[in-house]
Amino acid sequence: MLALAKKKGQGPTTAGVSRLGLPEVSAFLWETANGEICLGETFLSGGLAKLQCPAGASRPKSGSMVATRFGASMVGDGARVVVVVDHKAKVESVEFRGSEANWHFLRTLSPELSGRDVYYIVINTYPDRPDDQLDLTLKVGTEQVTDHISVAWD
């Protein structure tokens, strides 16, 4: 996967590659010299590999500290969402439809790419309702705040 990314001019910088191994998928995240954030995923059930390096920054909606970087995509019997969170906030929990979601810190982006933290979130149910959202509990300083992001399919 990294060889393909390098051929396309989307290879990792010296910041390196972050890897997350889950039962359903191995995920790799890196920054490119062009300022892109790339996500490579290998799905272990069928050998499918996916590489995404969208251009442009992920911007949170006004008043939010969270932005979707990679929208919902199928993983196992559920889906995954990759979000970036303001560097002042830390994720404490994530819920989807009232149930705890499985979430993992992947890395802090370089200052050139905002310095925000990247989280990989796995939900056990397909988000198939127009009002589906993730509810994130964040710690900002000494306070807990709740933020919400819509879950839309890629």
Side-chain angles (χ1 to χ4, degrees):
M1 183 168 310
L2 288 175
L4 173 63
K6 287 178 185 177
K7 282 183 184 179
K8 296 171 79 176
Q10 298 170 321
T13 65
T14 56
V17 177
S18 297
R19 180 185 179 277
L20 174 64
L22 298 174
E24 307 90 359
V25 64
S26 286
F28 306 88
L29 187 113
W30 65 91
E31 304 169 35
T32 72
N34 299 332
E36 299 164 323
I37 302 169
C38 293
L39 177 67
E41 296 171 297
T42 303
F43 299 90
L44 306 177
S45 61
L48 176 68
K50 186 175 183 180
L51 172 63
Q52 300 175 336
C53 298
S58 300
R59 306 239 185 266
K61 292 182 179 178
S62 179
S64 179
M65 299 185 90
V66 180
T68 302
R69 182 60 190 166
F70 298 95
S73 184
M74 293 180 359
V75 171
D77 293 331
R80 69 90 179 114
V81 178
V82 179
V83 300
V84 289
V85 178
D86 188 287
H87 66 278
K88 297 174 196 156
K90 299 295 176 208
V91 173
E92 291 197 325
S93 68
V94 180
E95 288 188 0
F96 177 71
R97 295 183 186 167
S99 296
E100 185 74 18
N102 187 5
W103 58 274
H104 305 272
F105 170 77
L106 274 177
R107 75 185 296 148
T108 298
L109 297 173
S110 65
E112 297 81 23
L113 289 178
S114 78
R116 292 182 288 174
D117 293 334
V118 181
Y119 292 87
Y120 191 97
I121 301 167
V122 178
I123 52 180
N124 294 325
T125 306
Y126 293 115
D128 56 2
R129 302 176 190 163
D131 61 343
D132 274 338
Q133 66 180 19
L134 291 174
D135 303 312
L136 292 91
T137 300
L138 308 172
K139 184 165 188 161
V140 183
T142 58
E143 294 184 37
Q144 271 192 341
V145 298
T146 302
D147 210 331
H148 312 279
I149 56 170
S150 176
V151 183
W153 287 99
D154 268 351

